Amino acid sequence: MRLSFTVNGEPVEVEARADDMLIDVLNSLGLASVRETCGIGVCGACTVLLDGETASGCLLLAPLAEGREVTTVEGLGGSDPVQEAFVEAHAFQCGYCTPGTVLTAKRLLEENAHPSEDEIRLALAGNLCRCGCYLKIVDAVLLAAGRKEKAWTS
Ligand code: FES
Ligand code: FES
């Protein structure tokens, strides 16, 4: 079937099977930031924004994106304040989880511009980091929210 939707502000048309997952279609478009780890909606590595809401690319059938707006971390352009805060706070090691975590953090900050640490932890509970960067990830979101002036350095 032919699918039409918008990815990072650009209209795309792709051929897909009815049972293709969105992550596979996005990867086929060269969007490598959408990563599959668990494949069952647990780890958050495949997180994208679908019409501005977080969604797991590994669980979402690609036809459900028809006519909708998909955002991946490539669409942030590298100079997004949340991305910059992650760099400043050294909030990653291997970086595998980072695109999904950044998008979830962006969604949180749109909804709640000044979240508490507990609210950040709750919002990011579905984004697992095997490298264990959780403290610095929380720090990065606090930085992006303007609740902290400097990255945690100890
Ligand atoms: S790969 Fe989709 S949630 Fe883990
Ligand atoms: S930085 Fe390696 S999994 Fe999170």
Side-chain angles (χ1 to χ4, degrees):
M1 60 192 299
R2 192 117 189 116
L3 299 180
S4 305
F5 52 98
T6 304
V7 180
N8 298 329
E10 299 290 331
V12 296
E13 287 203 2
V14 289
E15 281 296 332
R17 292 165 37 125
D19 60 354
D20 278 346
M21 293 299 171
L22 183 61
I23 187 172
D24 299 317
V25 171
L26 293 173
N27 288 166
S28 76
L29 293 170
L31 297 161
S33 74
V34 190
R35 296 164 177 166
E36 182 160 340
T37 302
C38 70
I40 55 172
V42 171
C43 73
C46 63
T47 300
V48 298
L49 298 179
L50 184 68
D51 291 340
E53 299 293 337
T54 54
S56 296
C58 73
L59 290 184
L60 196 79
L61 289 166
L64 295 176
E66 175 69 24
R68 302 177 76 179
E69 166 73 39
V70 177
T71 303
T72 69
V73 88
E74 285 90 345
L76 304 186
S79 57
D80 181 271
V82 177
Q83 289 176 298
E84 289 182 346
F86 269 64
V87 171
E88 189 178 339
H90 304 292
F92 49 84
Q93 288 184 39
C94 76
Y96 202 83
C97 69
T98 309
T101 308
V102 165
L103 290 173
T104 302
K106 276 197 71 65
R107 179 67 191 96
L108 166 67
L109 294 174
E110 279 170 17
E111 196 172 73
N112 177 0
H114 302 290
S116 66
E117 290 195 26
D118 284 348
E119 288 170 329
I120 293 168
R121 290 197 179 94
L122 185 63
L124 293 176
N127 292 85
L128 306 185
C129 176
R130 291 187 199 193
C131 298
C133 300
Y134 296 110
L135 291 177
K136 294 193 174 188
I137 289 170
V138 171
D139 230 35
V141 181
L142 288 170
L143 271 176
R147 297 201 65 163
K148 225 173 167 129
E149 288 183 2
K150 285 190 145 200
W152 180 64
T153 53
S154 59

